[in-house]
Every structure is written in C-alpha cells, then in structure tokens.
Amino acid sequence: MSMSQNRNLTQQLTHTLGVSIVNGKYPVGEGMPSEAILCKQFEVSRSSTREAVKMLSAKGLISSRPKKGIRVLPETEWNLFDSDVLSWILQSKPSLSLLREFTQVRAAIEPNAMKLAARNATPKQLKQIEEALFRIAEAEEGLDDQLDAHICFLNAILQASGNRFFIQFTQFVKAALKVSIRYNNQTLGVKNTDVSFHADVFDAIKSGDEKRAYQLVEDILADALALIESRI
C-alpha cells in the first residue's frame, strides 16, 4: 500500500473515531477498543490505526498509554480550536448553548479585530476586504456562496488586523460562522446581516474610524447574543 493510501486511511479512521467520541459513543473515562481491535474492526493497517490514535491524542480527545489502553478524555481536555474537533462538534447537532459560546468568543475577538483593521489595514488588504464585500453582495443575489463569502470577509479583516494571534482564529471563525448561519436561519428565523451592514463596516475600516468599526460589530453580536439567550 502506498504512503498516500495509508495517509488517507489514517485520516478516515481519525475522522470516524473523532465523530464517535464527540457523539458519546465512547463514554468519557471508559476504555476504548485496543489498537489491535480497532485495526480489525475498521479493516485498516496497524500503522494507520496507530497514527490515528496519535492524532486523536494530539487533539486532546484521548489518552493512550502502555498497559492502560486508550481512554476518552473529558471535553475540558479537547482542543476546541482544532479545525477537525470543531467540525466534529458541528456534526453532532450543536445546541443553542453551543451557539451562545461561539458567539461569546466572536464578541470577544471580532470588535477588536475591526478596530485594529481600521488602524492597520494596508491598501492591498482593503482591496481584499472590498472584494469579499462584493462577494457578499453577489451571494444575496444567489451568485455566490453565502457562507464562503461571509468567511472570506471576516478572515480578510482578521488578516488586516495585523495581530498574528487573531489571524490564527481563521479556522475557528469558519466553524463559528457555519453554526451561526445555520441556527440564525433555521432555528432563530433570522437572516444574516445584509450587505449594507458589511458595507458600513468596510467604510469604517477604510476611513480609519476605529470606534465606529468596533461599535458596529459589538452591537450586532450583542443583539445576536440577546436573541440566543431569549430562546434558551
């Protein structure tokens, strides 16, 4: 078997086991099947199984020790900023309480990112934000993907903030927007803020109005949190 095939099998097994752990198929604190049993159960090589176990350990989902076997760790140990872990949580039918937590983190990050973008954005970065704004307008007409357009807009602003830690939040933002858009539209019955709101944010950033850029996003996320709280 080629290295690429082994890698694919490892990724598939990691995904399958990760989803199962997040869904509670393997209870916290209890033992999981051994590598040898997993190897037979999923019909993959021992090396692929071993690598999958290592990956899940690195993500904080399990511990694997000689003579003690594989055990599922409590959620407090999981790396919730890992893009795989986030996607597995999203697949496990996220609740409004999870949406609240996502939105709380967004409220802690995004207004400050807007303010820093208003202060630090280069002409090239402003152009990238403007292009993302155009995509949002296109998405409203059904000519682009709504989720991708919103992610592109927000990630362009995180890049423009100039803060290397904010830039690292791009995968988290992608996951947060996925769950936010899904719940705002389907559960809360609220559509995403329209292109005019994003245009106002862009104008504030372009004009260097840090206070307005901050306030626009802080207000919209505060409203979103209030709505979520009212439904919990």
Side-chain angles (χ1 to χ4, degrees), residues 26-163:
Y26 302 110
V28 171
E30 294 190 15
M32 285 180 62
S34 66
E35 287 184 10
I37 293 174
L38 290 172
C39 178
K40 291 180 180 178
Q41 183 179 347
F42 292 96
E43 298 181 341
V44 297
S45 69
R46 192 66 181 267
S47 62
S48 291
T49 305
R50 190 178 302 115
E51 284 303 310
V53 168
K54 284 182 181 178
M55 291 175 73
L56 291 169
S57 297
K59 296 175 188 297
L61 270 65
I62 61 173
S63 67
S64 178
R65 297 177 182 175
K67 298 183 180 180
K68 291 190 176 182
I70 304 169
R71 291 191 175 274
V72 177
L73 295 175
E75 190 175 323
T76 52
E77 299 293 322
W78 300 355
N79 181 4
L80 299 180
F81 290 102
D82 181 281
S83 59
D84 288 332
V85 177
L86 280 169
S87 68
W88 297 333
I89 290 172
L90 287 173
Q91 289 179 37
S92 66
K93 298 181 180 178
S95 63
L96 279 173
S97 61
L98 177 63
L99 175 59
R100 175 173 59 186
E101 291 181 55
F102 269 126
T103 309
Q104 286 168 341
V105 176
R106 291 183 62 194
I109 297 168
E110 291 177 28
N112 287 295
M114 304 295 157
K115 180 172 69 175
L116 288 174
R119 182 187 305 171
N120 298 324
T122 64
K124 181 179 179 180
Q125 288 169 335
L126 288 172
K127 182 67 175 175
Q128 290 170 337
I129 299 170
E130 188 174 31
E131 288 171 353
L133 175 63
F134 178 75
R135 287 191 61 188
I136 291 175
E138 291 278 272
E140 281 201 350
E141 301 297 324
L143 302 174
D144 204 330
D145 182 84
Q146 186 184 69
L147 177 60
D148 286 347
H150 280 78
I151 290 169
C152 184
F153 183 82
L154 191 45
N155 281 348
I157 292 172
L158 288 173
Q159 293 283 341
S161 74
N163 183 304

Side-chain angles (χ1 to χ4, degrees), residues 184-203:
N184 284 348
N185 288 351
Q186 297 179 9
T187 306
L188 302 180
V190 177
K191 291 187 177 181
N192 297 298
T193 47
D194 60 19
V195 69
S196 63
F197 167 79
H198 292 86
D200 288 343
V201 171
F202 172 66
D203 287 341

